[in-house]
Amino acid sequence: MDFLVDSVMKVVKPNGLITAFVIVGVLTWISYSASKYLTKGRIHGSAIAIVIGLVLAYVGGEVTGGKKGIADVTFFSGIGLMGGAMLRDFCIIATAYGIKLEELKKAGLAGVLALVIGVFLSFVVGGVVAWGFGYRDAVSLTTIGGGVATFIVGPVTGAALGASSEVIALSVAAGVVKSIAVMILTPLLAKPFGLTTPAAAAVYGGLMGTTSGTAAGLAATNPKLVPYGAMTATFYTGFGCLVGPSICFVIVKAIVG
Amino acid sequence: MVIYGLMIMGLCAIVGNTLGEMLGKLMGISANVGGVGFAMLFLVLVTRRLLEKDQLSKLAQSGILFWNAMYIPVVIAMAAQQNVVAALKGGWIAVVGGLAAVFVGFMLIRPLTALADNSLPLDDEETA
């Protein structure tokens, strides 16, 4: 048995990406079969696959104590490359092929407005929730607000303002919760909340902002909407990092003193 | 050639992300501002131009379409490496904050979309 395991691992280790193709392929096959036979197509196969992925990520994190989910387990390390920022962004760019410029123009103003409202709204929601949990200083409130924007805006804002490492960690956690919530909830909430058109997808991307969340959420809802949502979401984190430690902090400070 | 499709897309990615980095630096923040978005826009404009001139071969297109189709599998792999443990260990403040932002965001989709001109639903046939 050891002989077999050793031999397999010797092949798998330097072939991580190829192993990842096989693993994700099997996962996709199981998920799409489950979608077809267990839910009669009511729940999209990719939505099931993403949820299984998140469960695997939880298991990986618990087992290894690492930060990269199942990718921290040696056998699954190729998942890290396959689902990492490089290929993710490359694939998002590829989805733009076939985008309808007319649709994008229609969504233009609404998308930009959604982006601005979305970022400020996150700071408001995050700040209010943090206040509710007993935080009173402007630095912590703004940092947690930034985390509610995305898990990048939080630490960038916190670092700029000199927040405590505990608050920065909290802001990252809030951002990750949001991103995961967007992945899981989007396919369920899309229809009732009118997320059916390219313009709505652009608005949604601006409001949610998390690139990974919107990427997965739209994939599980309607892959054709992906480029419109991704387009606005990609400006969100940058804009959040810009206004977080500046305008938002000044406003929060003016309110709480 | 398939590689031409990848070359075009790679070029758009590099130019777009460089632009995003420069924009970030000019604003004095340590983040890429819209790099991927610019890259997407470039890809749309460049491929449209090439298609009009009939200079984008079927093979070159298939190089782009392959990654287009790989999108969902890559997103599944991405989900599998999220720091889910940290999200759950962050406590109630992280959970409440993250969820509240998502719900409030969803409520605003309809009113904000109303500002856009009549956008029509796309048919949601299987692409993956």
Side-chain angles (χ1 to χ4, degrees):
Chain A
M1 194 60 198
D2 273 359
F3 173 71
L4 179 70
V5 172
D6 284 352
S7 304
V8 170
M9 285 313 286
K10 195 147 195 210
V11 174
V12 162
K13 257 191 205 166
N15 289 299
L17 186 58
I18 292 170
T19 312
F21 290 156
V22 175
I23 295 163
V24 175
V26 170
L27 202 75
T28 305
W29 179 71
I30 293 171
S31 305
Y32 278 74
S33 305
S35 160
K36 198 168 161 190
Y37 298 111
L38 296 182
T39 76
K40 297 202 174 77
R42 264 189 299 256
I43 300 175
H44 206 292
S46 45
I48 298 175
I50 287 162
V51 170
I52 297 178
L54 290 170
V55 172
L56 285 178
Y58 175 77
V59 174
E62 277 291 335
V63 170
T64 65
K67 289 180 178 171
K68 290 185 68 194
I70 199 74
D72 280 325
V73 179
T74 312
F75 183 80
F76 296 93
S77 62
I79 298 270
L81 179 55
M82 183 176 172
M86 178 173 73
L87 289 184
R88 183 199 67 190
D89 288 350
F90 202 53
C91 287
I92 289 179
I93 294 168
T95 63
Y97 186 72
I99 207 170
K100 290 194 176 74
L101 268 185
E102 299 72 28
E103 287 294 340
L104 204 61
K105 275 183 202 149
K106 277 186 203 164
L109 174 71
V112 173
L113 206 62
L115 181 68
V116 176
I117 293 174
V119 169
F120 282 105
L121 198 74
S122 293
F123 277 97
V124 172
V125 170
V128 168
V129 171
W131 178 275
F133 277 86
Y135 287 90
R136 290 293 180 271
D137 62 298
V139 171
S140 300
L141 291 172
T142 316
T143 303
I144 293 169
V148 169
T150 71
F151 55 79
I152 297 172
V153 178
V156 167
T157 304
L161 298 176
S164 71
S165 63
E166 173 216 331
V167 167
I168 291 181
L170 197 56
S171 77
V172 173
V176 178
V177 168
K178 182 189 189 184
S179 144
I180 293 169
V182 171
M183 289 182 197
I184 297 174
L185 294 175
T186 301
L188 305 174
L189 300 181
K191 281 229 169 81
F193 285 89
L195 178 53
T196 48
T197 64
V203 166
Y204 157 89
L207 287 171
M208 300 301 166
T210 144
T211 312
S212 36
T214 50
L218 287 176
T221 306
N222 178 359
K224 287 204 170 145
L225 295 177
V226 168
Y228 305 97
M231 188 79 94
T232 41
T234 160
F235 286 92
Y236 187 100
T237 289
F239 184 65
C241 292
L242 177 67
V243 298
S246 53
I247 304 173
C248 290
F249 177 65
V250 170
I251 295 174
V252 173
K253 188 133 180 84
I255 295 171
V256 301
Chain B
M1 300 273 232
V2 170
I3 189 70
Y4 293 160
L6 293 172
M7 179 191 70
I8 293 167
M9 210 161 60
L11 218 70
C12 292
I14 291 167
V15 175
N17 275 316
T18 307
L19 206 65
E21 284 297 328
M22 293 198 299
L23 209 58
K25 277 225 173 66
L26 285 177
M27 292 173 170
I29 48 175
S30 56
N32 188 304
V33 181
V36 174
F38 290 127
M40 292 169 86
L41 213 55
F42 293 152
L43 185 71
V44 173
L45 297 173
V46 170
T47 52
R48 183 176 266 216
R49 193 70 192 272
L50 289 171
L51 281 171
E52 273 167 12
K53 289 189 184 167
D54 204 20
Q55 278 181 338
L56 196 65
S57 68
K58 277 269 176 297
L59 272 175
Q61 290 182 47
S62 74
I64 298 172
L65 288 171
F66 173 77
W67 289 103
N68 187 314
M70 275 300 283
Y71 173 74
I72 288 177
V74 162
V75 162
I76 294 168
M78 177 194 79
Q81 56 168 310
Q82 298 295 311
N83 197 352
V84 180
V85 173
L88 296 177
K89 287 222 172 102
W92 284 108
I93 181 167
V95 173
V96 174
L99 282 177
V102 176
F103 280 112
V104 175
F106 263 98
M107 307 232 251
L108 288 175
I109 292 178
R110 234 185 256 279
L112 282 171
T113 308
L115 294 174
D117 298 334
N118 49 334
S119 183
L120 297 170
L122 301 172
D123 50 317
D124 54 350
E125 66 196 47
E126 209 69 29
T127 51

